[in-house]
Structure formats: C-alpha cells, structure tokens
Amino acid sequence: MKYYSTADHSNRVALKTAVLEGMPADGGLYIPEKLPKLPDNFFNALPDMDFQTLSFEVANILIGEDVPEAILRNIIAEALSFETPLVDIEDNIKTLELFHGPTLAFKDVGARFMSRLMAYFIQNDDRKLNILVATSGDTGSAVANGFYKIPGINVIVLYPAGKISLIQEKQIATLGENVTALKVNGTFDDCQRLVKAALVDADLQKSQMLSSANSINISRLIPQTFYYFNAFRQLPDFQSKKIAVCVPSGNFGNLTAGLMAKKMGLPVHRFIAATNINHIVPDYLETGIFSPKVSIQTISNAMDVGNPSNFARILDLYGTSWTDIRREIWGVYFSDDQTRAAIADIYENSGYILDPHGAVGYLGLKKYLAQHQELDSGIFFETAHPAKFKDIVEPVIGASVDIPERLAKFLQRETLSQTISGKYGEFKAFLLTNPNFR
Ligand SMILES: *Cc1c(COP(=O)(O)O)cnc(C)c1O
C-alpha cells in the first residue's frame, strides 16, 4: 500500500520511504491511501484473540504487502510485549491502561514498533541509521528505550539542561550502548533547532544516514490503532453497544489512530477529544476555526501543545469537512484545578490513582456521558502511570504513589550524558567525528 502526503495527494510513496523520511518534503504528513475494513469474522473472533494476534491481523491489512509475515509477527511480538488492560473505574466507565511498557507511557507502543520497522527497512544498508530526537521529556525517553540495542541504529537524544524531570533524564541518559544523550545548555527550542539544522545539512547527509523519530511518523500511529481494538475486545457484546472513547490529547496522534481504527470498522460510537487549557482543537470543533497558539504550561504537560501536529491528518481523513469531523469528535477541556479535583475524587471513591492526563480523559468522558444518556458505556485512556507525575499526584491524594520496579531501576543508574552548547557548529562536529555514527 502507498502513503500519500496530506499537502499533495499525488505525492505517493512506499511505506519504507514514509517511515525513513518521517515527513514529506512538501510539509504535509503521510497517510495510508486506504484504510481497508476488517471482515466480519475478525470482529466476531475478536473477543477470543489476544493482543498480539489481533495486532497482527490489523497490521497485516495495512502493511502486509510491505513487510513479510514472519517479520511482521516478530516485530509485533517484540514491540507489544506488554498488556493494555481495561480496568473498571465506575459503573459504565472503564480506563484502558496504556502505561505497562518500559517507560510507563503510551508512547512506548509507537516507539517500539517504529524502531523495529526501521531496523527491518535498513537491514541491507551498510551504514548506520542515526535517529535525532529533540525532547522536552516524554518522547525522548520512549524513543531512547524503544531503540535501545536495535541493530544498525543509533539514537541521539537532545534535551534541555535542567528543564526535564530527574526521572525523565534517567530514562534517557542512563542507557548507553546505541543511545547517546546530549544535554544542551539551552531550551527545548534550541534542541529542536539543532536537530532541524542537522536534518537538512548537506555535509552531514553525505557522510551519514540521518532521520528523526517524532510523533508525526506514520509508523507510530499504525500500532496505536491496535490497542483500540484491544480495548473493545475486552468489552462484552461490543458489536451491539454504543461506546464512546475519550482520548486525553496534545498532538492528537493517539486520537488520529482511533479515527483510523474506526475507518477500519471498529464500532466507536463517538470520540471525545479532552485537553487541558491548550484547547485549540475543542475550539475548532465549536467554531470551525483552527487557530494555533503559543502553548501554556499545565500539570498535564505532555498535552501542552499550541499547534497540534496531527490536525492535518484529522482534516484529511474527513475531506476537511468540519461537519463530518464534529459528528465524529466531541471536544472538551479542563483546568488544572478540575484535573486535581478529579484525581482526588477518584482516589477517594475507588482507590484508583489517576495521573493528570488520565484525569483529563476521565473528566471528558464523564461530561459527555452525562449529556448523552443513549450511550451504553465509555472508555478513557490512562496514558501514563501516576508514578511519572508523583510530585503532582501525591499532595492531591495525600498518599504516596508506589514506583514500579521498572522505573525504580532507572533511578539507581549512573547518568551518562554529555553536555553541549546550543551552537550548531559544535553539534555538527560531534556528529561528524564520532566513528560509531557511520
Ligand atoms: C504524549 C502524551 C499525550 C498526548 O498524546 P498525543 O498523541 O500527542 O495527543 C497524553 N498523555 C501522555 C502521558 C503523553 O505522554
């Protein structure tokens, strides 16, 4: 199957190009040219499938022509080696826990799948593939861990000194092996500027193979469709029920994957886009006007996005029709105070500990269900483990949050990062002189 650019539908490329290039040169985003419907017998058999089996079936219909079956099965077995359980919160409200991967956030799913797919595509190339990532925290840790020890690929993660949490720094900078952590004396924007300059630098392109791994890569969205099916599999009689899915959103990759799953036949009655006060998309749903803004910092900081990068994909999937998009997605947003109150309430009522992102998702679902009695039930995504946001959650619930073993072990390791200035010349020299990068 081919992938086209949202900016120019005649710009069509193979999966390999879409994945290794990341973003088309015309400034659009890649989208699969078709989203084939899965057959009835797939949905009938879904309740009896396990996560990996159903993931293979979904992947096969999308990329089966491009990746041999045995390779695809292996990529799925390695990348999705953890569960996404559906957990009861209240009557008719369940959460899909997406934090059982190595860095405790849903981004593990996309990063682990992307790394293995890239490794397959470059296996016959005798050069190393160097992945550059600028991060304000979460993406860098998921990508660093997703690519850790993947043959033929290096990851170079740039993060702003003093501006990410200790846990995030430890998840990025203690791995070693093929993961290089660069602590930049500057801001996140400086990190991003260095990466962008390197990706278009002709000297560098001559001597090494460079790519990026940000959330716009289509190979991150493909595996994110799988867990929507895995959620419905765990709901009795899902084929005859009206079920809403609420996605706490920032760049809207997660929600876009859900829209793709629905186009492939998953019976999601309605999507709810829940955000913090960075409510660019809820405003668009309300008014029809998309008006990007400078982002505002909140306690659900992985959703502090003022210009959601996947919006172009959402528009494209619905032929840019505001009416059709509104029919599919309901938008809502909440303040930090409302988010804290939800964390406290849920803890008091059920003992369940939400992280701030999941709390926004819970609030969105609750509000939608209150206004739509015709729905049978709803699911919201818990996108990160509350231990990642201990500093915010503990004072709110008045109790301590246990740190899972896989997170605790990062905290004991030695930080291996190297410090660089924000000067491009220094970064370029670093890339050019390292023999491992060739
Ligand atoms: C990245 C992230 C989000 C936002 O996901 P998008 O796909 O960018 O909308 C939500 N919650 C957490 C914990 C995240 O890390």
Side-chain angles (χ1 to χ4, degrees):
M1 189 190 300
K2 290 273 200 292
Y3 290 74
Y4 67 71
S5 166
T6 54
D8 172 6
H9 287 199
S10 69
N11 180 5
R12 278 166 201 257
V13 300
L15 178 66
K16 177 175 175 175
T17 309
V19 171
L20 293 180
E21 210 176 82
M23 192 164 172
D26 63 19
L29 297 178
Y30 285 121
I31 288 215
E33 64 174 357
K34 290 186 297 258
L35 289 163
K37 283 247 182 330
L38 285 145
D40 286 349
N41 61 12
F42 167 80
F43 288 102
N44 295 337
L46 194 55
D48 300 318
M49 290 186 195
D50 61 26
F51 184 28
Q52 295 191 358
T53 307
L54 77 85
S55 296
F56 173 77
E57 295 299 327
V58 179
N60 196 35
I61 204 162
L62 281 175
I63 62 175
E65 286 168 18
D66 307 282
V67 185
E69 174 171 340
I71 305 271
L72 190 52
R73 284 195 191 276
N74 193 43
I75 290 173
I76 287 170
E78 283 185 26
L80 306 174
S81 54
F82 48 88
E83 283 303 318
T84 67
L86 197 60
V87 174
D88 286 322
I89 300 292
E90 289 170 10
D91 280 355
N92 301 328
I93 294 190
K94 293 174 199 287
T95 188
L96 188 72
E97 292 183 342
L98 295 173
F99 56 68
H100 293 275
T103 73
L104 292 85
F106 83 89
K107 290 187 177 71
D108 284 329
V109 172
R112 290 168 68 80
F113 189 88
M114 169 167 61
S115 61
R116 286 157 178 88
L117 193 58
M118 283 182 165
Y120 164 67
F121 283 136
I122 59 143
Q123 64 180 349
N124 295 325
D125 209 301
D126 49 17
R127 292 182 304 169
K128 294 277 179 58
L129 174 62
N130 299 317
I131 302 285
L132 306 180
V133 204
T135 186
S136 53
D138 269 1
T139 299
S141 51
V143 170
N145 284 273
F147 282 86
Y148 182 53
K149 293 190 179 172
I150 296 289
I153 306 184
N154 295 305
V155 194
I156 298 114
V157 184
L158 289 78
Y159 65 93
K163 296 198 176 62
I164 68 173
S165 73
L166 179 69
I167 288 180
Q168 287 170 329
E169 181 170 27
K170 290 282 183 186
Q171 286 180 317
I172 293 167
T174 62
L175 294 165
E177 303 268 350
N178 63 331
V179 177
T180 301
L182 294 179
K183 182 165 158 174
V184 177
N185 278 324
T187 61
F188 168 65
D189 292 334
D190 292 320
C191 299
Q192 200 148 35
R193 177 176 48 78
L194 294 176
V195 167
K196 283 187 176 159
L199 289 172
V200 296
D201 186 318
D203 295 342
L204 280 173
Q205 303 288 347
K206 249 181 274 159
S207 78
Q208 45 190 252
M209 196 164 35
L210 294 174
S211 189
S212 70
N214 50 21
S215 64
I216 49 104
N217 198 302
I218 190 68
S219 64
R220 286 175 58 163
L221 294 198
I222 290 168
Q224 287 177 219
T225 64
F226 307 161
Y227 50 68
Y228 282 84
F229 293 91
N230 200 38
F232 276 54
R233 169 182 80 82
Q234 299 172 65
L235 281 174
D237 305 323
F238 72 85
Q239 295 196 77
S240 59
K241 295 270 168 68
K242 288 198 171 99
I243 300 157
V245 178
C246 181
V247 186
S249 295
N251 270 316
F252 283 77
N254 219 355
L255 190 98
T256 303
L259 301 173
M260 288 165 58
K262 182 163 182 183
K263 296 237 170 205
M264 295 171 76
L266 190 71
V268 178
H269 185 74
R270 193 91 189 263
F271 291 95
I272 301 150
T275 72
N276 56 34
I277 51 165
N278 295 283
H279 45 77
I280 316 303
V281 172
D283 284 356
Y284 164 78
L285 293 166
E286 179 92 26
T287 64
I289 299 162
F290 182 69
S291 164
K293 303 208 164 51
V294 174
S295 67
I296 303 165
Q297 198 178 343
T298 74
I299 58 168
S300 48
N301 59 21
M303 312 199 302
D304 294 349
V305 179
N307 187 5
S309 57
N310 279 285
F311 186 70
R313 283 195 172 111
I314 297 179
L315 275 180
D316 196 276
L317 284 171
Y318 295 93
T320 72
S321 162
W322 175 57
T323 315
D324 290 353
I325 294 172
R326 262 158 71 94
R327 199 172 294 135
E328 205 73 279
I329 313 170
W330 190 77
V332 63
Y333 61 91
F334 300 94
S335 68
D336 282 354
D337 284 347
Q338 289 172 304
T339 306
R340 284 200 184 86
I343 295 171
D345 285 351
I346 295 295
Y347 181 65
E348 197 172 306
N349 297 337
S350 69
Y352 192 86
I353 305 176
L354 287 171
D355 97 292
H357 305 80
V360 169
Y362 166 81
L363 285 168
L365 180 59
K366 192 83 177 161
K367 189 158 178 180
Y368 183 79
L369 292 179
Q371 296 178 19
H372 295 81
Q373 309 289 335
E374 74 278 15
L375 270 279
D376 292 300
S377 64
I379 298 167
F380 68 94
F381 285 178
E382 179 45 307
T383 47
H385 191 287
K388 289 193 93 167
F389 299 90
K390 253 171 110 53
D391 301 352
I392 294 155
V393 174
E394 286 182 342
V396 172
I397 63 172
S400 67
V401 178
D402 291 339
I403 299 193
E405 174 57 33
R406 64 195 187 286
L407 185 56
K409 72 169 201 274
F410 282 109
L411 292 169
Q412 289 147 18
R413 293 202 205 137
E414 188 196 346
T415 305
L416 303 168
S417 52
Q418 306 175 48
T419 304
I420 59 167
S421 73
K423 291 205 186 75
Y424 179 63
E426 188 183 339
F427 179 50
K428 179 172 174 173
F430 177 83
L431 293 174
L432 280 173
T433 52
N434 194 324
N436 293 331
F437 294 167
R438 263 169 253 142

